[in-house]
């Protein structure tokens, strides 16, 4: 008799604590969307290297500026303890498509070469149903290709 109600209480506590995080996220959304533009330097070997920190729910920096036609190497470092994230860059016109999962606490390096100038969205499409997606919680940014 006792087991079922106790489990329900446990689950509802989790849902409640996840929901209670939302107001904080709404605040940080404003800040993350207005992050300062970061021009990624070109190293001696011609590679544009930078490190991006993934947190719940943000990228830092989140506005990256790179040059077209030169390889970009991004080190994606997750500082979360539980929540998995990903790093997606999509050009709707098809010139760029990057998608990389980054597990909690992990570091992954990705390389791609943008060919077309433009500004492309960066975002995390993970979501824990029925909560909004991480992108909706502010986990987004942009890649500006010049
Ligand atoms: Cu995420």
């Amino acid at each position: 008799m006792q087991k079922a109600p106790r489990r329900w209480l446990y689950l509802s506590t989790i849902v409640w604590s996840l929901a209670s995080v939302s107001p904080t996220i709404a605040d940080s959304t404003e800040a993350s969307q207005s992050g300062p533009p970061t021009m990624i330097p070109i190293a001696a070997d011609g590679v544009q290297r930078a490190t991006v920190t993934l947190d719940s729910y943000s990228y830092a920096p989140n506005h990256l500026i790179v040059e077209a036609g030169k390889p970009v190497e991004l080190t994606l470092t997750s500082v979360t303890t539980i929540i998995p994230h990903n790093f997606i860059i999509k050009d709707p016109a098809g010139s760029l498509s990057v998608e990389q999962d980054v597990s909690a606490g992990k570091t992954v390096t990705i390389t791609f070469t943008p060919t077309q100038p433009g500004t492309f969205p960066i975002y995390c499409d993970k979501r824990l149903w029925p909560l909004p997606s991480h992108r909706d919680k502010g986990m987004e940014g942009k890649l500006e290709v010049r």
Side-chain angles (χ1 to χ4, degrees):
M1 273 303 275
Q2 273 188 338
K3 251 183 183 172
R6 200 173 281 173
R7 182 168 298 163
W8 184 87
L9 181 67
Y10 174 69
L11 285 171
S12 63
T13 305
I14 290 176
V15 170
W16 181 84
S17 33
L18 286 170
S20 70
V21 177
S22 297
T24 325
I25 291 154
D27 288 343
S28 65
T29 297
E30 300 298 321
S32 72
Q33 280 172 347
S34 57
T38 299
M39 201 160 323
I40 300 182
I42 302 170
D45 60 2
V47 179
Q48 312 181 77
R49 281 192 188 84
T51 295
V52 176
T53 301
L54 287 73
D55 203 351
S56 302
Y57 297 88
S58 64
Y59 298 110
N62 72 350
H63 180 174
L64 309 174
I65 302 174
V66 297
E67 265 185 45
K70 294 190 171 72
V72 176
E73 185 186 296
L74 297 179
T75 299
L76 308 172
T77 298
S78 165
V79 295
T80 68
T81 48
I82 297 171
I83 303 175
H85 292 294
N86 60 22
F87 183 91
I88 297 173
I89 307 175
K90 281 270 156 65
D91 171 11
S95 78
L96 193 58
S97 180
V98 172
E99 184 160 355
Q100 178 64 54
D101 276 319
V102 187
S103 305
K106 299 291 186 204
T107 294
V108 185
T109 301
I110 57 169
T111 307
F112 58 92
T113 303
T115 53
Q116 296 296 316
T119 299
F120 311 110
I122 297 174
Y123 58 93
C124 173
D125 74 352
K126 300 270 185 197
R127 92 185 292 151
L128 182 61
W129 190 88
L131 299 174
S133 74
H134 294 184
R135 186 182 194 177
D136 289 335
K137 295 181 179 187
M139 195 158 185
E140 62 180 353
K142 56 187 165 187
L143 177 75
E144 199 177 323
V145 181
R146 292 180 175 172

